[in-house]
Amino acid sequence: MGRMHSHGKGLSAPSLPFRRSVATWLKLSADEVKDQIYKLSKKGLTPSQIGVILRDSHGVSQVRFIAGNKILRILKAKGIAPEIPEDLYCLIKKAVSVRKHLERNRNDKDSKFRLILIESRIHRLARYYKRKKVLPPTWRYESSTASAMVA
């Protein structure tokens, strides 16, 4: 699949091992992994950051293989999932930082153009999440309230 606002194709990606079994040397149980996920989520980490920490410090390659569910689904079942999806949150955060940069540097035409591209991606993603009923139908991205959303 090609990129939305650039020329790259982006075909390379890591592949998961064929066997879905848990490594024999891993001593963590499903409940311990879930408790770790809850604890890291309470610190304010996103699901992907939780996955990176579990992989790097605890040796958990895939939470799904151990716990039977993905990190976001585990958080949703507990009721502590983030209210807006992580990819949309990151785009909004990027748009806020570019807008802040533009306030200081008014003549930066390239950043102005990039902000337009970022915001079009936000609107497209929001449209998708409204269709999938992840976001409420009344949700709107407004640049004036966006900084409060990511703070």
Side-chain angles (χ1 to χ4, degrees):
M1 190 175 109
R3 297 282 145 251
M4 199 181 303
H5 298 305
S6 64
H7 300 294
K9 294 281 193 290
L11 294 174
S12 64
S15 58
L16 290 178
F18 181 73
R19 283 188 327 161
R20 289 188 174 89
S21 59
V22 181
T24 53
W25 46 263
L26 187 66
K27 301 294 181 225
L28 289 173
S29 68
D31 292 330
E32 289 171 340
V33 170
K34 286 181 181 178
D35 290 338
Q36 201 71 27
I37 290 171
Y38 301 146
K39 192 169 29 167
L40 291 170
S41 176
K42 285 206 171 49
K43 285 183 181 176
L45 297 176
T46 62
S48 62
Q49 289 172 323
I50 292 170
V52 167
I53 289 173
L54 287 175
R55 183 196 66 202
D56 293 344
S57 352
H58 300 286
V60 177
S61 60
Q62 289 286 313
V63 171
R64 189 168 41 115
F65 298 163
I66 298 169
N69 259 333
K70 298 178 179 183
I71 295 173
L72 188 62
R73 288 183 183 163
I74 291 170
L75 292 175
K76 275 184 184 171
K78 186 78 169 178
I80 51 176
E83 62 270 3
I84 63 169
E86 186 180 352
D87 50 356
L88 186 61
Y89 176 82
C90 288
L91 280 174
I92 292 171
K93 198 171 167 183
K94 186 185 278 193
V96 166
S97 71
V98 171
R99 197 171 284 282
K100 191 175 165 189
H101 166 80
L102 277 172
E103 285 173 9
R104 285 178 280 127
N105 307 289
R106 290 252 181 241
N107 289 336
D108 193 351
K109 302 283 188 232
D110 186 57
S111 290
K112 199 174 192 177
F113 174 70
R114 297 294 162 202
L115 179 66
I116 293 168
L117 296 185
I118 293 167
E119 287 185 340
S120 69
R121 272 185 298 218
I122 290 171
H123 293 303
R124 180 184 286 199
L125 202 54
R127 200 168 58 232
Y128 166 78
Y129 281 130
K130 283 181 195 174
R131 197 170 59 236
K132 294 294 178 188
K133 294 183 174 46
V134 176
L135 288 175
T138 56
W139 190 91
R140 283 184 64 84
Y141 168 76
E142 283 144 11
S143 56
S144 54
T145 60
S147 57
M149 223 184 301
V150 295

